[in-house]
Amino acid sequence: MDRAYEGYVARPVAGAVTALDFLARPATSHTARVEKIAHFTAAEGPLPHWREHLALWASHRKPASRLLDQCVVDIQAPELDPGHFVDRAGLAQIAELTPKDLPHPKYGRRDLPPPQAESDEGPRWSRPVARDWAEQYHRVHGPEKLLSATTRFGTDQPQGLVDDHNRLTTIIIDSLQDATADGKKNRLFTRSSTPNHEEQAAHLAWWPAVAINDGTDGFIPIAAVRTTIVEAVLGGFARDVADSDAPTPALLGDIRGDVVHLIDWYIQREPQHTPALFGEICLDARMRFDLDPKDVGDLLRRSLNLDSTIDSRTLNALLDLALPPSAQSREGQ
C-alpha cells in the first residue's frame, strides 16, 4: 500500500510475456479477420491460431499506440503451481514471525492475504503473495516494535510513554524527598495526621504539570508546536489560494478543527505569546499569499469561535487584544 497515492504499488510480473515475444517469429494473419460488432459472437473456447489473431491486431495498431513490448498477453508464473504454495507455517516463516503471531485463522482471516488455494489443512498462498503481505505487515507493525521500550513494570510500551513515565517518576521522587527532608515533618506525609488525599495528590501532581508545560526542557516542545500551528494554518491558506480564480481575492475556508484545538492548547499554556502567534500568521499570510490581514483576522475569529473550547466572551476579548490592529474588524478599529 502506498498511502501517498491511496493505492497499491504496481509491481511488474517477473515472467511477463509480451506481444513482441509472441510475434518475434513470423506469422500470417490469413486465418484471422476483423469482425463487425453487429455480427460478433464470442467463442465458447480458446480461438485456434491465436497467434495469427494477435498479428492481425498488431497490424491495425496506430503509431501512437503502446509499444508491443509493453503489451502483456500472458505470464509465466511457476509460483502459481499449487505444489509451490506455502501454508500457515510457511507464511509465518516468510514474514519472520512465529505462527502464533499471525492473525487468528478463524477470527482474523481478513487480516491475512487472500489465499490462492484452500486445502483440508487450511489456506495456502503463493510465495510472491506471502512476501508482499509480509512487507505490508512489517510496514504497519514495524514502527511500534522499533519505537518500544520496557517499563519499570516489565511491559512493552511506546518509547515516549516509557520516557515520560521515567521522568515523572524522578520528579515525584524528588518532590517526596524535598517534602520529607525538612527537620520538621511535612504534614502532608505524617502518619499521625489525617491523610488529605486531595491535598497530597495536588502536591504530587504540581511539578509533573510544570514539567509538561515547561517550554525549555518540558515533555512537549512548545516552540515546535507553535511552528506547526503556523505552518498548518498557512497550508490551509495555500490550498484556498490555489483553488481560487485570480485576480479575485481568495475565499478562505475555516481552519480545520484539529488545528483549532492545537491553537487552544498552545494559547492556554503560553497566553503571553498569543499576540506573537497571531501576528506571525497574519504576516506570513500577507507575505506569501498577499492576503489582507483583516481577512486573516476574520478567519481566525470565525474558526476559533466555531471550534475553540474557550468560552465565547473570553475568546473574543482575547482576540481583541491579540490580533494585530490591521487584522481587527473595521468596526473594532
Side-chain angles (χ1 to χ4, degrees):
M1 182 69 181
D2 187 334
R3 298 186 186 280
Y5 289 92
E6 294 186 320
Y8 293 99
V9 177
R11 288 176 170 164
V13 177
V17 180
T18 67
L20 185 64
D21 297 326
F22 258 88
L23 299 175
R25 301 187 304 274
T28 60
S29 59
H30 66 277
T31 59
R33 65 181 184 275
V34 178
E35 293 276 9
K36 292 184 177 297
I37 190 65
H39 304 144
F40 176 76
T41 302
E44 294 183 0
L47 291 174
H49 310 293
W50 184 81
R51 205 160 150 274
E52 280 71 20
H53 288 272
L54 183 67
L56 181 61
W57 165 80
S59 68
H60 282 74
R61 285 161 47 81
K62 296 179 180 179
S65 299
R66 185 184 295 272
L67 298 177
L68 290 177
D69 62 356
Q70 297 176 359
C71 298
V72 177
V73 296
D74 199 2
I75 58 173
Q76 295 174 349
E79 67 272 14
L80 294 180
D81 181 351
H84 294 156
F85 289 171
V86 297
D87 57 9
R88 184 177 171 81
L91 178 65
Q93 183 179 17
I94 290 174
E96 299 180 343
L97 300 170
T98 62
K100 69 175 184 178
D101 289 332
L102 289 177
H104 194 281
K106 184 176 181 181
Y107 304 108
R109 187 68 175 264
R110 65 183 181 85
D111 296 321
L112 291 169
Q116 279 64 69
E118 294 282 356
S119 66
D120 294 339
E121 292 77 23
R124 300 177 69 82
W125 298 274
S126 73
R127 292 181 180 275
V129 170
R131 286 193 293 267
D132 279 355
W133 179 84
E135 178 183 337
Q136 180 66 13
Y137 180 89
H138 288 297
R139 285 183 181 275
V140 172
H141 299 281
E144 182 180 2
K145 184 177 180 181
L146 284 173
L147 300 177
S148 67
T150 304
T151 67
R152 293 169 181 256
F153 311 119
T155 60
D156 289 336
Q157 296 290 343
Q159 178 72 57
L161 173 58
V162 174
D163 289 345
D164 289 349
H165 178 248
N166 290 338
R167 290 183 67 184
L168 285 169
T169 299
T170 301
I171 291 169
I172 292 175
I173 289 173
D174 292 343
S175 179
L176 290 172
Q177 289 174 344
D178 290 344
T180 57
D182 256 341
K184 298 178 180 179
K185 291 185 177 179
N186 189 302
R187 65 184 181 88
L188 291 176
F189 303 100
T190 56
R191 294 184 179 179
S192 58
S193 63
T194 302
N196 186 332
H197 297 299
E198 184 175 350
E199 194 172 359
Q200 288 181 4
H203 178 82
L204 293 175
W206 173 248
W207 288 113
V210 171
I212 289 174
N213 289 274
D214 182 5
T216 55
D217 189 29
F219 287 81
I220 300 171
I222 301 292
V225 171
R226 171 177 163 171
T227 300
T228 301
I229 290 172
V230 173
E231 292 301 321
V233 174
L234 292 174
F237 292 164
R239 288 191 298 271
D240 294 338
V241 170
D243 292 341
S244 66
D245 296 326
T248 58
L251 180 62
L252 300 180
D254 292 335
I255 299 171
R256 294 178 61 173
D258 286 344
V259 178
V260 173
H261 294 164
L262 197 57
I263 294 174
D264 259 9
W265 185 94
Y266 178 83
I267 64 179
Q268 290 184 71
R269 284 157 181 80
E270 298 285 312
Q272 72 279 15
H273 292 148
T274 305
L277 171 67
F278 291 163
E280 184 176 354
I281 291 173
C282 292
L283 172 64
D284 286 356
R286 182 178 63 82
M287 297 295 291
R288 292 193 200 180
F289 309 115
D290 196 28
L291 294 176
D292 188 333
K294 193 262 179 192
D295 293 335
V296 176
D298 288 347
L299 173 64
L300 286 167
R301 191 178 293 273
R302 183 176 74 239
S303 297
L304 285 168
N305 272 286
L306 184 65
D307 289 317
S308 174
T309 59
I310 303 172
D311 69 271
S312 178
R313 182 176 179 179
T314 302
L315 181 62
N316 286 314
L318 175 67
L319 289 166
D320 289 342
L321 292 170
L323 283 174
S326 59
Q328 299 285 354
S329 62
R330 302 302 183 200
E331 294 79 8
Q333 291 186 9

